[in-house]
Amino acid sequence: MGRLPDEALLSGLATGDPELAVSFVRRFQHRVFGVAVAVTGDPQLAEDIAQQTFERAWRHAQIYDSRRGSVTTWLTTIAHNLAIDAVRSRRTEPVAPEDLDAILDVVSETPEQHALADEASSRLRAAVAELPREQGRALVMAGIYGMTAQQIADWEHIPLGTAKTRIRTGMGKLRTTLAPFQ
């Protein structure tokens, strides 16, 4: 079983073959758990997320499209998204904006980020990094931390209109930069 391609193990998972399902989980369990721990910082929560990831992979294995990325990328993206959702649901207030500069500076420098970095997300991160710092911060605060324009204005000590302009202008620049890749 260890020599089967990832796609074959995923197909076995979809058909309900218990041996292939066990092989699939064993092949990816450390990577999925690692992504979940990297995002949440909580090993117990990461275990729950890993289980949810494999359950979701089992339910949606039929819709996997190899043209959009490898099985590893697909699975780690599921884990990453579930972990972010878990962190957001547990967080009572947004991360302090003064911490965003450090986050923006390490866009893809960690092993966990490399595991998640498929071609499209790499382009997006690079495009955000190319934006003026104020626009990049506003987009990250709105897009990742779910802050409203008013909350961004309050945190940055700027007028509401300026916060909205930074978000709108940054999104326009991203669209222009990323349009050729769609």
PDB file of all heavy atoms in Angstrom, residues 8 31 62 79-80 97 159 167 179:
ATOM      1  N   ALA A   8      -4.639   7.232  -5.891  1.00  0.00           N
ATOM      2  CA  ALA A   8      -5.216   5.889  -5.738  1.00  0.00           C
ATOM      3  C   ALA A   8      -5.714   5.677  -4.314  1.00  0.00           C
ATOM      4  O   ALA A   8      -6.788   5.096  -4.109  1.00  0.00           O
ATOM      5  CB  ALA A   8      -4.184   4.829  -6.109  1.00  0.00           C
ATOM      6  N   ARG A  31       1.300  15.269   8.515  1.00  0.00           N
ATOM      7  CA  ARG A  31       1.256  16.547   7.820  1.00  0.00           C
ATOM      8  C   ARG A  31      -0.007  17.322   8.196  1.00  0.00           C
ATOM      9  O   ARG A  31       0.036  18.516   8.487  1.00  0.00           O
ATOM     10  CB  ARG A  31       1.324  16.328   6.312  1.00  0.00           C
ATOM     11  CG  ARG A  31       1.379  17.642   5.554  1.00  0.00           C
ATOM     12  CD  ARG A  31       1.721  17.443   4.113  1.00  0.00           C
ATOM     13  NE  ARG A  31       3.101  17.006   4.015  1.00  0.00           N
ATOM     14  CZ  ARG A  31       3.565  16.178   3.093  1.00  0.00           C
ATOM     15  NH1 ARG A  31       2.774  15.706   2.177  1.00  0.00           N
ATOM     16  NH2 ARG A  31       4.825  15.835   3.063  1.00  0.00           N
ATOM     17  N   GLN A  62     -14.830  12.299  -3.999  1.00  0.00           N
ATOM     18  CA  GLN A  62     -15.298  12.170  -5.384  1.00  0.00           C
ATOM     19  C   GLN A  62     -15.121  13.461  -6.177  1.00  0.00           C
ATOM     20  O   GLN A  62     -15.025  13.434  -7.397  1.00  0.00           O
ATOM     21  CB  GLN A  62     -16.791  11.793  -5.445  1.00  0.00           C
ATOM     22  CG  GLN A  62     -17.152  10.560  -4.683  1.00  0.00           C
ATOM     23  CD  GLN A  62     -17.477  10.873  -3.209  1.00  0.00           C
ATOM     24  OE1 GLN A  62     -17.095  11.891  -2.649  1.00  0.00           O
ATOM     25  NE2 GLN A  62     -18.181   9.945  -2.586  1.00  0.00           N
ATOM     26  N   ALA A  79      -7.335  21.139   5.997  1.00  0.00           N
ATOM     27  CA  ALA A  79      -6.904  21.240   7.394  1.00  0.00           C
ATOM     28  C   ALA A  79      -6.679  22.692   7.788  1.00  0.00           C
ATOM     29  O   ALA A  79      -7.103  23.132   8.869  1.00  0.00           O
ATOM     30  CB  ALA A  79      -5.634  20.422   7.616  1.00  0.00           C
ATOM     31  N   HIS A  80      -6.031  23.438   6.924  1.00  0.00           N
ATOM     32  CA  HIS A  80      -5.745  24.841   7.199  1.00  0.00           C
ATOM     33  C   HIS A  80      -7.043  25.632   7.364  1.00  0.00           C
ATOM     34  O   HIS A  80      -7.188  26.413   8.322  1.00  0.00           O
ATOM     35  CB  HIS A  80      -4.898  25.416   6.065  1.00  0.00           C
ATOM     36  CG  HIS A  80      -4.473  26.827   6.273  1.00  0.00           C
ATOM     37  ND1 HIS A  80      -5.051  27.876   5.613  1.00  0.00           N
ATOM     38  CD2 HIS A  80      -3.524  27.359   7.086  1.00  0.00           C
ATOM     39  CE1 HIS A  80      -4.484  28.999   6.010  1.00  0.00           C
ATOM     40  NE2 HIS A  80      -3.554  28.718   6.895  1.00  0.00           N
ATOM     41  N   PRO A  97      -3.468  44.774  15.705  1.00  0.00           N
ATOM     42  CA  PRO A  97      -2.900  45.170  14.411  1.00  0.00           C
ATOM     43  C   PRO A  97      -1.398  45.419  14.444  1.00  0.00           C
ATOM     44  O   PRO A  97      -0.732  45.258  13.439  1.00  0.00           O
ATOM     45  CB  PRO A  97      -3.662  46.452  14.072  1.00  0.00           C
ATOM     46  CG  PRO A  97      -4.961  46.293  14.784  1.00  0.00           C
ATOM     47  CD  PRO A  97      -4.620  45.580  16.070  1.00  0.00           C
ATOM     48  N   PRO A 159      -9.527  57.880   9.545  1.00  0.00           N
ATOM     49  CA  PRO A 159     -10.952  58.036   9.243  1.00  0.00           C
ATOM     50  C   PRO A 159     -11.516  56.782   8.559  1.00  0.00           C
ATOM     51  O   PRO A 159     -10.788  56.037   7.880  1.00  0.00           O
ATOM     52  CB  PRO A 159     -10.986  59.228   8.284  1.00  0.00           C
ATOM     53  CG  PRO A 159      -9.688  59.934   8.468  1.00  0.00           C
ATOM     54  CD  PRO A 159      -8.702  58.893   8.896  1.00  0.00           C
ATOM     55  N   ILE A 167      -8.811  49.415   1.607  1.00  0.00           N
ATOM     56  CA  ILE A 167      -9.310  48.082   1.278  1.00  0.00           C
ATOM     57  C   ILE A 167      -9.671  48.009  -0.199  1.00  0.00           C
ATOM     58  O   ILE A 167      -9.252  47.096  -0.918  1.00  0.00           O
ATOM     59  CB  ILE A 167     -10.531  47.713   2.152  1.00  0.00           C
ATOM     60  CG1 ILE A 167     -10.127  47.603   3.623  1.00  0.00           C
ATOM     61  CG2 ILE A 167     -11.169  46.404   1.669  1.00  0.00           C
ATOM     62  CD1 ILE A 167     -11.302  47.546   4.577  1.00  0.00           C
ATOM     63  N   ALA A 179      -5.260  38.839 -12.250  1.00  0.00           N
ATOM     64  CA  ALA A 179      -6.160  38.559 -13.379  1.00  0.00           C
ATOM     65  C   ALA A 179      -5.534  37.664 -14.450  1.00  0.00           C
ATOM     66  O   ALA A 179      -6.193  36.762 -14.957  1.00  0.00           O
ATOM     67  CB  ALA A 179      -6.677  39.851 -13.991  1.00  0.00           C
TER      68      ALA A 179
END
